[in-house]
């Protein structure tokens, strides 16, 4: 069984590596993907068969310990239970179908290799999430799914709009990672190590949960809900899902119709014991589901494009799943998930047929459903049936048209503050800025040496400075170098802050920088090569299409970007977690600024990468 | 702050007072701008046209260069492609010489050009700096650091697509008859919730003005310089050419929509400018710099200078012309040097005639039919068979035009028969509507799992499951057309219901005269229309008959056969000298070009006459379709190598939901031959030729030719140029790849949910196309052609500016003449050149993925 779990987990990775190493030859890639899909399918089926023969027992497998110190432990462990099994079945069915579908559908497409790379990356991340035995592992898979989703939305990089929407989806993903990152840390704090999912069920029985504070549990639930609603496009993040439908239709079907969109539900099912303990936390989930259902089902009424309509229909159903979850109907949720996944997947795949269907089969164009012609109208008293004032109709229409205004809400609450701060900092003169920093530092050192204030409190101004540096990177539009440097500055400040709080973890900070510094350096070198003959200042907002004109350097820039955002390819990913755990075990407040800085840095770096590498080449931006 | 109207006008007045007599007329400007917008209507009827109609008044190469400077598109293939064709021998040195001589360069510059021809240059084909991508608007947005496109487009596209939607959304935005501006005004002013970004009080006040005034006020703020207004609006509209073009098309011809909507370009411009102003206010406050205050305004390309400043890339132009000439001479050489046609074998009596569409896809099926059965004679005519009408089938909600777009039909024909079964009972289609809250919940909880099986079934066994899809382009044979007019009272839409006998005789006689079939009728004449069935394909209309405005031609074929069979029609025809023998039967059929299947209509007629002939024709057709499928498979890389599986393979293609290429349509169309079938009968033209029958001797004054040219120039020329430009720049002139397409409001497709409508052809239709202009060869003397050309009106522009090439092939000696704006040039092909020979047409089936030059066929050996 252990071997089979590893097979399910590693075969997609093998597929990824093989496709990456193979030449850009459709036949080869098609054969590889065929074999890998079959192998994954066989191992999933074998694993499940074995699991069934063991009597549906939840199963845990600890492979090895990736990192271990006295008070910190990061084991690689896997877990399989009923929920995971259902998800695995769906992954197997949908994945086999989609791969077969795509081998024909993407025939002769220029991005054939890129597509299958992303698809196998996605499968790897997905299986990691489903089979993960702890929140840390799950977080790694979460990140991988996020990046492959981002790359597939921007699959057609010649056009500005897919690129823009990829960034939009990525910012939401990134923000919701705050939830998961903080959630991971909180569970470390609360349970003293990242709880194994296998032990979670017993938490409630052993009264561990009831011993914890009510407020702490609510906070943890809240964080998990943020992560779940971000991924599943629930209130208030509904708007990104339809806009993510920019890649090839099958990729939209597998991500936003079938699998990725239900990961939020998965996360909630996994962490069920944590949040189902209290009525209030259940109520939160119930109301998120309810709000989503209301907004999404209204927004769906005014979608004049077919994929958007399917997306909102799907969001509505996921909202219902949230409601069902909060009512404790887990089995129903699993059924609902499967039904919704298959149906939406199918609907998206056949969405191009809608024209022929409506024109030739239904024989009816224009549904003519004016709002007041609701069939329910006949149940209203005659006297008010036609009196629903026009202004209310208009209001309802505007509400549906703008999809509940959620995007404006999210944008103005989340991103505008960073833009403002960053814009203000970037407007300052460099010397002035330097002077201020030096004064602040000097002052800090002076205070620290001459007074009795605990060094730890110095971490407060440092972490403020860290956020300011991140904001500066976020709103910096005129120089990619400055963005990269601001990100580095922000990370350095975070390291300083961590050391101020806990001076004994120098080695962990060092490990952190062993991931960040090389990435930064690589980025700076690549940027200077890429921009050598460019007048960046002349058109800072143009998309420069370097993925096409300078593919190798672009790949390096991408790797540097991944390193900078703490993607699980450098030690930075692990130490991100460790730093959080160490630094904030005594000072919980510190978790918030450091997470925010990580998230905002990621978005800033992504923006630079997109601006330089995506787009369509033309005479100006070609050397 | 309130916008000071008086102040705005004062400034304008001041300008005039100070001697700057710059004036700006909104309507004139819009008329100029509309000229540049794409003219593609709703996707349900896809009408091929010259993508660059806006520069058609320039000579081809100059026009393409001007368009490149406007739209930011490529003008030719990448240089390497031409060089590769040269090294493969498809571009001959002779053709290259010919093109160099015509480059307009002489002496030293010419030598320099020749020197540069073979230099490799990977960057030569990047699109130029253009008005659309680097104009004054882009400069302003860069300067102000506001991504207006990213902000305005989603808002605007949502409003537009919901306003124009033809049936996807459940709530309809406009009230009946409401215009776009009024509708937006209603939502802005009469809703409790703000309509973002128009909720700003300044904008709300602005909306109380007329669209004209709004346009003026916004331009005053954003641009400031009246000379630049027009260019600004154009750049703004070209940031989303698809929607701008669609609005313009709907304004010009509201009846192209099934559910009419009242919208004008002016309203669109007003709403968009107001939206831009709203975002600029929001970002920059009221005091932002307009375009007239930009620091480097002088360096930005100007619309007024584009026509004069556009430069033709000489090197690419020469290569392109060389490629075209090389391909064109392949046909010319074959026509000239082919062996004289063998005398018709007296032992085989001619028993069957069949009329096909000129479509290049019918070129091969005709060849197969003739070679399989010498008793079959084929003709080519525009696939609406001269019968122009609106048709409403049993399944159709609305009548649709069944004729080329240049003709406006006056007659309506309805199909009658047993009405189709009620639609709601069709359980298998429930998923199309399973979106709503409760239904969706019930559906996902119960049937959702079944979709796993259905999906797997569709993907792993496509041919087995999709029997129902044939509905798409096939018409049930068991129904009747209401053709004979019973009353002269027009319907309420102003159409005449059906035709009178005289009108029928006019049409039937007209077609028979055009194709030169006025005597020697066989016992059976099969009228073969064509259509194409495909699944999961929003561009389905682009696969059907181009001469029927993107519909299957079967109603026309049925109508023609009915009319030509009718004794009253024959009587009138007899008076006009066309004597159709009593025992001659016309039978209508439909060739499904994607599945390679044939359907025969009106079966009750089959047994009365010509039964034996029809059976023979059907048998031959079955074989011919088999061969045709094989021939088509050579373009499908994933097709099975075994020949006997070819037919099954093409059928699977047409019914697989994962197949973006049910067929390659008009890919590689290149020639159009107007003349007797004898001219091309023994040539292998690789499905690249539109073939129109024409008997030169019956047309001494060229009057028949006028009619033929009137159909083939816009239809075949339109198809050819649409393929050409979609291939040359698939992201600007074409629709890009099909894979991410999303259907918007049944109007068109876009990338993603908030994209611009894509115009042109998707990559999967044009990827194997060799983009060369159409060569029309007319078997007629130049003198007669000159007489015809004098009467074709505006279409002459196509020839004078070389958007299509015209060659006359003198019937007496097959001497060829090339049409140029200055007169006919004699074409002298190298004397020793002769066309390669095929002894068996099956030889070609194994040549994968490349075009084959025109070959001679020697049938006697097979």
């Amino acid at each position: 069984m252990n071997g089979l779990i590893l097979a399910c987990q590693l075969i997609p990775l093998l597929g990824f590596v093989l496709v990456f190493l193979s030449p850009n030859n459709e036949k080869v890639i098609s054969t590889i993907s065929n074999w890998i899909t079959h192998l994954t399918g066989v191992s999933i089926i074998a694993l499940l068969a074995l699991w069934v023969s063991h009597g549906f027992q939840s199963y845990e497998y600890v492979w090895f310990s990736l990192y271990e110190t006295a008070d910190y432990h990061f084991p690689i462990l896997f877990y399989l239970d009923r929920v995971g099994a259902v998800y695995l079945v769906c992954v197997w069915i949908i994945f086999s179908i989609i791969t077969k579908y795509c081998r024909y559908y993407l025939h002769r497409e220029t991005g054939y290799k890129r597509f299958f790379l992303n698809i196998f990356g996605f499968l790897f991340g997905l299986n990691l999430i489903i089979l993960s035995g702890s929140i840390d592992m799950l977080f790694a898979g979460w990140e991988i799914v996020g990046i492959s989703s981002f790359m597939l939305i921007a699959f057609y990089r010649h056009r500005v709009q897919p690129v823009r929407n990829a960034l939009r989806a990525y910012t939401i993903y990134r923000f919701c990672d705050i939830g998961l990152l903080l959630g991971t840390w909180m569970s470390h704090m609360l349970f003293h190590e990242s709880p194994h999912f296998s032990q979670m069920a017993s938490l409630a029985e052993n009264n561990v949960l009831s011993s914890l504070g009510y407020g702490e549990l609510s906070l943890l639930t809240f964080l998990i809900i943020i992560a779940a609603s971000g991924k599943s496009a629930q209130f208030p993040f509904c708007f990104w899902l339809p806009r993510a439908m920019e890649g090839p239709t099958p990729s939209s079907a597998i991500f936003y119709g079938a699998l990725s969109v239900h990961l939020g539900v998965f996360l909630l099912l996994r962490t069920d014991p944590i949040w189902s303990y209290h009525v209030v936390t259940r109520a939160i989930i119930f109301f998120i589901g309810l709000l989503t259902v209301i907004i999404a089902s209204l927004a769906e009424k005014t979608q004049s494009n077919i994929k958007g309509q399917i997306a909102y229909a799907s969001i509505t159903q996921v909202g219902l799943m949230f409601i069902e979850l909060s009512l404790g109907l887990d089995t129903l949720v699993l059924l609902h998930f499967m039904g919704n996944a298959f149906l939406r997947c199918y609907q998206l795949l056949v969405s191009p047929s809608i024209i022929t269907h409506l024109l030739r089969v239904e024989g009816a164009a224009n549904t003519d459903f004016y709002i007041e012609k609701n069939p329910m109208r006949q149940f209203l008293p005659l006297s008010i049936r036609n009196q629903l004032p026009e202004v209310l109709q208009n209001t309802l229409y505007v509400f549906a048209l703008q999809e509940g205004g959620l995007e404006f809400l999210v944008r103005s609450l989340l991103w505008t503050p960073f833009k403002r701060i960053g814009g203000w900092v970037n407007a300052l003169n460099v010397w002035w800025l330097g002077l201020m920093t030096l004064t602040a530092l000097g002052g800090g050192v002076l205070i620290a040496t001459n007074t009795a204030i605990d060094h730890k409190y110095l971490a407060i101004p440092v972490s403020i400075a860290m956020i300011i540096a991140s904001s500066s990177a976020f709103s910096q539009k005129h120089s990619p170098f400055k963005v990269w440097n601001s990100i580095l500055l922000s990370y350095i400040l975070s390291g300083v802050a961590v050391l101020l709080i806990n001076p004994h973890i120098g080695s962990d900070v060092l490990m952190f920088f062993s991931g960040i510094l090389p990435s930064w350096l690589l980025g700076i070198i690549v940027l200077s090569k890429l921009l050598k003959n460019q007048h960046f200042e002349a058109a800072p907002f143009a998309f420069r299409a370097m993925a096409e004109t300078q593919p190798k350097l672009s790949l390096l820039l991408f790797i540097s970007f991944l390193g900078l955002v703490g993607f699980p390819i450098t030690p930075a990913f692990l130490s991100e977690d460790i730093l959080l755990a160490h630094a904030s075990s005594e000072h919980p407040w510190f978790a918030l600024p450091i997470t925010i800085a990580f998230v905002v840095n990621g978005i800033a770096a992504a923006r630079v990468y997109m601006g330089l590498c995506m787009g369509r080449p033309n005479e100006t931006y070609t050397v | 702050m309130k916008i000071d109207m008086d102040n705005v006008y004062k400034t304008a007045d001041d300008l005039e007072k100070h001697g700057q007599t710059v004036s700006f007329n909104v309507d004139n400007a819009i008329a100029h701008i509309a000229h540049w917008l794409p003219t593609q209507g709703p996707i349900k009827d896809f009408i091929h046209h010259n993508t660059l109609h806006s520069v058609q008044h320039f000579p081809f190469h100059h026009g393409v260069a001007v368009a490149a400077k406007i739209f930011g598109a490529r003008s030719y293939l990448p240089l390497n492609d031409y060089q590769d064709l040269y090294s493969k021998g498809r571009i001959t040195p002779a053709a290259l010489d010919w093109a160099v001589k015509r480059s307009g360069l002489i002496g030293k510059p010419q030598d320099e050009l020749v020197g540069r021809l073979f230099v490799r240059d990977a960057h030569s084909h990047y699109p130029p700096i253009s008005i659309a991508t680097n104009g004054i608007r882009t400069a302003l947005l860069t300067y102000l650091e506001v991504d207006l496109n990213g902000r305005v487009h989603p808002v605007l596209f949502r409003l537009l697509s919901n306003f124009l939607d033809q049936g996807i959304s459940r709530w309809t935005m406009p009230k009946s008859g409401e215009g776009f501006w009024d509708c937006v005004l209603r939502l802005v002013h009469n809703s409790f919730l703000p309509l973002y970004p128009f909720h700003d009080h300044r904008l709300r006040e602005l909306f109380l003005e007329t669209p004209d005034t709004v346009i003026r006020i916004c331009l005053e703020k954003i641009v400031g310089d009246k000379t630049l207004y027009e260019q600004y609006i154009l750049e703004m509209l070209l940031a989303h050419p698809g929607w701008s073009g669609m609005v313009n098309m709907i304004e010009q011809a509201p009846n192209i929509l099934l559910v009419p909507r009242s919208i004008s370009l002016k309203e669109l411009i007003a709403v968009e400018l107001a939206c831009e102003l709203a975002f600029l206010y929001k970002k920059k406050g009221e005091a932002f710099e307009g375009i007239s205050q930009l620091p480097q305004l002088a360096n930005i390309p100007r619309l007024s200078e584009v026509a004069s400043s556009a430069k033709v890339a000489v090197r690419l132009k020469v290569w392109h012309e060389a490629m075209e000439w090389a391909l064109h001479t392949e046909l010319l050489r074959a026509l000239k040097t082919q062996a004289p046609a063998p005398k018709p074998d007296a032992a085989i009596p001619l028993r069957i005639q069949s009329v096909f569409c000129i479509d290049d896809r019918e070129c091969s099926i005709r060849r197969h039919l003739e070679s399989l059965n010498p008793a079959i004679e084929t003709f080519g005519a525009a696939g609406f068979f001269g019968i122009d009408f609106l048709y409403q089938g049993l399944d159709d909600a609305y009548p649709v035009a069944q004729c080329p777009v240049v003709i406006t039909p006056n007659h309506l024909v309805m199909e009658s028969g047993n009405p189709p079964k009620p639609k709601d009972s069709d359980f298998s289609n429930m998923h199309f509507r399973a979106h709503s809250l409760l239904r969706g919940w019930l559906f996902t909880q119960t049937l959702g799992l079944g979709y796993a099986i259905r999906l797997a079934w569709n993907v792993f066994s496509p041919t087995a499951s999709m029997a129902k899809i044939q509905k798409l382009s096939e018409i049930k044979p068991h129904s009747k057309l209401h053709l004979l007019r019973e009353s002269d009272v027009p319907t309420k839409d102003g159409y005449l219901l059906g035709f009178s006998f005289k009108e029928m005789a006019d049409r039937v006689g007209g077609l028979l005269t055009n194709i030169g079939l006025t005597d020697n009728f066989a016992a059976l004449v099969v009228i073969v229309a064509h259509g194409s069935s495909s699944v999961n394909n929003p561009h389905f209309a682009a696969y059907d008959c181009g001469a029927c405005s993107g519909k299957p031609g079967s109603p026309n074929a049925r109508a023609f056969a009915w009319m030509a069979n009718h004794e009253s029609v024959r009587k009138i025809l007899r008076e006009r000298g066309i004597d159709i023998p009593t025992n001659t039967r016309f039978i209508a059929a439909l060739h499904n070009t994607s599945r390679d299947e044939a359907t025969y209509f009106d079966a009750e007629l089959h047994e009365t006459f010509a039964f034996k002939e029809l059976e023979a024709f059907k048998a031959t057709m079955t074989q011919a379709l088999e061969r045709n499928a094989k021939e088509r498979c050579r373009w499908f890389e994933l097709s099975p190598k075994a020949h006997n599986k070819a037919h099954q393979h093409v059928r699977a293609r047409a019914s697989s939901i994962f197949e973006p290429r049910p067929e390659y349509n008009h890919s590689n169309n290149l020639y159009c031959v107007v003349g007797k079938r004898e001219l091309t009968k023994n040539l292998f033209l690789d499905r690249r030729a539109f073939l129109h029958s024409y008997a030169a001797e019956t047309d001494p004054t060229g009057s028949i030719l006028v009619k033929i040219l009137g159909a083939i120039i816009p239809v075949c020329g339109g198809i050819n140029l649409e393929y050409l430009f979609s291939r040359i720049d698939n992201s600007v002139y074409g629709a890009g790849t099909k894979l991410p397409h999303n259907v918007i409001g049944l109007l068109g497709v876009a990338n993603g949910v908030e994209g611009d409508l894509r115009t042109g052809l998707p990559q999967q239709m044009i990827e194997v196309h060799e983009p060369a202009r159409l060569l029309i060869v007319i078997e007629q003397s130049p003198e007669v052609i000159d007489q015809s050309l004098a009467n074709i009106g505006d279409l002459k522009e196509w020839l004078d500016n070389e958007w299509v090439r015209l060659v006359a092939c003198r019937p007496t000696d097959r001497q060829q003449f090339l049409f140029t704006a200055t007169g006919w040039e004699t074409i002298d092909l190298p004397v020793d050149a002769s066309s390669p020979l095929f002894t068996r047409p099956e030889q070609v089936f194994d040549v994968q993925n490349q075009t084959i030059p025109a070959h001679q066929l020697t049938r006697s050996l097979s």
Side-chain angles (χ1 to χ4, degrees), chain A residues 22-48:
Chain A
S22 71
N24 199 356
N25 174 332
E26 189 183 316
K27 262 191 193 148
V28 178
I29 295 168
S30 169
T31 318
I32 295 175
S33 55
N34 193 20
W35 277 103
I36 295 294
T37 312
H38 285 314
L39 275 178
T40 317
V42 167
S43 34
I44 287 179
I45 293 302
L47 174 65
L48 292 182

Side-chain angles (χ1 to χ4, degrees), chain A residues 16-316:
Chain A
F16 178 86
V17 174
L18 284 179
V19 173
F20 184 77
L21 295 178
S22 71
N24 199 356
N25 174 332
E26 189 183 316
K27 262 191 193 148
V28 178
I29 295 168
S30 169
T31 318
I32 295 175
S33 55
N34 193 20
W35 277 103
I36 295 294
T37 312
H38 285 314
L39 275 178
T40 317
V42 167
S43 34
I44 287 179
I45 293 302
L47 174 65
L48 292 182
L50 207 60
W51 174 71
V52 168
S53 72
H54 284 173
F56 301 94
Q57 287 287 315
S58 299
Y59 181 80
E60 187 184 41
Y61 165 44
V62 185
W63 194 14
F64 62 94
S65 240
L66 187 63
Y67 183 82
E68 202 164 357
T69 56
D71 57 343
Y72 185 87
H73 184 199
F74 192 116
I76 299 290
L77 81 166
F78 300 98
Y79 180 61
L80 178 67
D81 69 343
R82 192 177 57 127
V83 177
V86 169
Y87 270 78
L88 270 186
V89 171
C90 285
V91 168
W92 167 61
I93 296 178
I94 288 175
F95 215 82
S96 322
I97 293 173
I98 293 283
T99 332
K100 161 99 177 170
Y101 192 101
C102 292
R103 284 170 58 211
Y104 293 96
Y105 200 63
L106 269 95
H107 175 50
R108 299 183 71 127
E109 192 74 5
T110 37
Y112 200 86
K113 178 171 172 178
R114 204 147 45 94
F115 181 83
F116 278 98
L117 265 183
N118 281 316
I119 281 284
F120 281 118
F122 171 62
L123 182 61
F124 175 69
L126 198 62
N127 281 356
L128 190 55
I129 292 177
I130 294 173
L131 290 169
S132 62
S134 67
I135 289 197
D136 309 82
M137 297 269 299
L138 193 141
F139 183 59
W142 205 259
E143 288 283 293
I144 295 172
V145 167
I147 287 285
S148 58
S149 174
F150 165 71
M151 293 309 284
L152 273 175
I153 299 172
F155 189 73
Y156 294 107
R157 52 197 184 189
H158 270 189
R159 297 177 70 76
V160 176
Q161 177 202 327
V163 178
R164 206 188 281 140
N165 279 330
L167 199 61
R168 168 156 33 192
Y170 184 72
T171 49
I172 299 299
Y173 275 11
R174 204 60 206 169
F175 175 76
C176 296
D177 288 349
I178 295 188
L180 207 54
L181 199 59
L182 284 178
T184 316
W185 155 75
M186 256 195 101
S187 57
H188 273 290
M189 238 183 61
L190 295 179
F191 310 114
H192 303 296
E193 72 162 333
S194 178
H196 297 193
F197 290 134
S198 54
Q199 298 156 355
M200 235 184 234
S202 56
L203 286 178
E205 292 154 22
N206 299 343
N207 286 333
V208 177
L209 287 176
S210 50
S211 68
L212 291 170
Y214 185 76
E216 285 163 323
L217 267 189
S218 312
L219 187 60
L220 180 57
T221 311
F222 181 68
L223 293 172
I224 290 174
I225 290 175
I226 286 184
S229 17
K231 210 64 153 189
S232 282
Q234 298 294 294
F235 180 85
F237 304 111
C238 306
F239 60 88
W240 72 263
L241 188 76
R243 285 164 188 79
M245 307 257 181
E246 295 279 2
T249 304
S251 77
S252 303
I254 195 170
F255 273 77
Y256 314 115
L259 297 173
S260 178
V261 73
H262 292 102
L263 285 181
V265 179
F266 180 82
L267 181 65
L268 288 182
L269 282 167
R270 267 281 175 262
T271 51
D272 184 79
I274 296 180
W275 56 262
S276 62
Y277 184 71
H278 276 290
V279 182
V280 174
T281 48
R282 278 168 178 263
I284 295 177
I285 292 180
F286 181 86
F287 280 108
I288 284 191
L290 189 66
L291 275 173
T292 309
V293 167
I294 293 171
I295 292 175
S297 61
L298 282 176
E300 181 260 328
K301 297 252 184 288
T302 55
Q303 288 288 324
S304 52
N305 65 88
I306 186 63
K307 286 186 184 169
Q309 197 169 47
I310 298 170
Y312 270 109
S314 185
I315 295 174
T316 313

Side-chain angles (χ1 to χ4, degrees), chain A residues 107 161 168 249 300-302 304 346-347 349 353 360 363 366-367 369 394-395 402-403 478 616 620, chain B residues 129 145 158 161-162 166 169-170 186 190 192 196 397 431 454 458 472 536 661 729 739 745 754-755:
Chain A
H107 175 50
Q161 177 202 327
R168 168 156 33 192
T249 304
E300 181 260 328
K301 297 252 184 288
T302 55
S304 52
Y346 187 77
Q347 282 182 329
L349 288 180
S353 309
R360 297 205 179 159
N366 193 19
T367 48
F369 282 125
N394 292 345
T395 307
Q402 303 191 141
E403 296 157 13
H478 295 278
R616 184 173 196 233
T620 347
Chain B
I129 306 296
E145 301 186 0
R158 270 316 288 280
S161 65
N162 279 35
Q166 299 287 294
S169 62
R170 275 143 227 277
R186 173 166 61 87
N190 203 5
F192 288 132
Y196 190 81
H431 59 269
R454 179 162 179 175
N458 282 349
L472 303 186
N536 223 8
R661 302 166 185 82
D729 197 325
L739 310 193
E754 52 186 24

Side-chain angles (χ1 to χ4, degrees), chain B residues 290-425:
Chain B
I291 283 179
S292 51
Q293 288 140 287
L294 283 185
Q296 294 187 318
L297 193 57
N299 302 338
I300 303 167
R302 295 292 165 84
L303 180 60
S304 51
E305 295 156 8
V306 165
S308 53
S309 71
K311 282 205 192 72
V312 177
V314 183
R315 186 164 53 150
L316 287 168
K317 172 193 151 180
V318 165
W319 269 118
H320 189 78
E321 290 225 308
M323 177 188 76
E324 290 181 329
W325 189 243
L327 295 173
H328 289 165
T329 45
E330 284 172 2
L331 173 73
L332 297 177
R333 192 176 56 192
L335 287 176
K336 180 109 197 249
T337 63
Q338 62 178 319
K343 287 269 176 289
D345 193 342
I348 310 166
L350 175 69
R351 292 185 305 163
I352 304 164
Q353 284 160 332
S354 55
V355 185
F356 282 84
C357 180
I358 43 173
D359 199 293
D360 48 320
R361 285 170 288 183
E362 304 293 47
C363 166
S364 58
I365 191 97
R366 288 173 66 182
R367 166 160 43 82
H368 292 306
L369 272 178
E370 289 161 347
S371 69
L372 284 165
N373 187 348
I376 296 177
E377 185 185 7
T378 66
F379 293 85
F384 70 115
F385 302 112
I387 312 206
D388 49 321
F389 59 99
L390 291 138
Y391 174 73
Q392 184 165 13
L394 285 174
D395 283 340
D396 297 335
Y398 297 86
V400 290
Q402 289 276 5
C403 55
V405 68
V406 282
I407 299 172
T408 314
N410 288 320
H411 301 267
L412 174 67
V413 169
M414 319 265 274
E415 189 185 22
S416 61
N418 298 327
K421 58 182 175 352
K423 282 113 187 173
D424 291 345
S425 66

Side-chain angles (χ1 to χ4, degrees), chain B residues 50-253:
Chain B
N50 178 5
T51 314
L52 297 189
H53 64 93
S54 49
V55 288
Q56 204 169 281
H57 55 287
F58 293 119
F60 178 78
H61 293 286
H62 185 58
V64 170
V66 171
K69 288 290 275 184
I70 297 276
F71 301 115
R74 297 171 188 164
S75 301
Y76 302 99
L77 289 177
L79 184 62
N80 297 353
D81 288 19
Y82 295 112
Q83 291 165 343
D84 291 346
L85 278 173
Y86 186 86
S87 60
K88 278 187 205 154
R90 284 313 292 277
I91 299 180
T92 54
L96 194 56
D97 283 346
W98 183 86
V100 168
K101 280 196 196 104
R102 286 168 59 99
S103 64
L105 301 176
I106 35 170
K108 205 164 162 238
Q110 194 186 46
D111 297 340
E112 278 172 15
L113 171 71
V114 173
R116 286 194 303 131
L117 281 178
F118 292 95
V119 179
R120 302 295 268 195
D121 179 0
H123 297 309
S124 64
H125 65 294
Y126 286 132
I129 306 296
S130 67
I131 296 280
T133 55
N134 296 75
I136 50 172
R137 185 161 173 273
T138 318
L140 178 72
L141 303 190
T142 307
Y143 182 76
L144 294 179
E145 301 186 0
V146 183
D147 179 12
L148 267 191
N149 288 344
R151 294 306 198 80
V152 172
H153 286 181
V155 175
L156 185 75
F157 294 174
R158 270 316 288 280
L159 288 172
L160 272 175
S161 65
N162 279 35
F163 181 82
L164 295 174
D165 183 23
Q166 299 287 294
I168 288 186
S169 62
R170 275 143 227 277
W171 288 351
T172 310
M173 179 164 145
K175 293 175 179 298
S176 172
E178 194 178 34
F180 184 56
W181 179 262
D182 293 333
C183 187
V184 177
L185 178 65
R186 173 166 61 87
L187 295 183
V188 170
H189 270 272
N190 203 5
S191 148
F192 288 132
L193 284 171
L195 182 67
Y196 190 81
F198 303 113
H199 55 287
D200 187 313
H201 67 98
R202 293 165 293 199
L203 266 297
R204 285 168 66 94
E205 278 166 32
L206 189 61
F207 259 85
L208 296 173
E209 305 292 330
T210 63
D212 273 281
T213 319
V214 172
I215 293 175
R216 279 174 193 285
I217 293 172
C218 293
L219 286 173
E220 185 73 33
K221 286 292 284 181
I222 301 173
V223 185
D225 178 351
K226 281 185 177 171
T227 54
L228 294 173
Y229 283 7
E230 196 173 309
Q231 178 169 355
Y232 186 84
I233 298 178
L234 178 64
E235 288 181 10
M236 181 177 83
L237 292 184
L238 284 185
H240 49 83
W243 278 116
S244 318
M246 181 62 72
V247 167
N248 186 36
M249 290 290 284
I250 293 171
E251 183 184 0
Q252 304 300 325

Side-chain angles (χ1 to χ4, degrees), chain B residues 468-494:
Chain B
K468 278 206 180 72
I469 296 297
Q470 286 176 24
K471 286 178 203 174
L472 303 186
S473 75
E474 281 180 342
I475 289 161
K476 284 172 222 73
H478 306 288
S479 63
K480 281 206 166 61
L481 297 187
H482 249 288
L483 284 167
L484 184 62
R485 183 154 80 237
E486 280 146 7
S487 125
D488 283 340
V489 183
T491 64
K492 68 176 191 302
D493 297 323

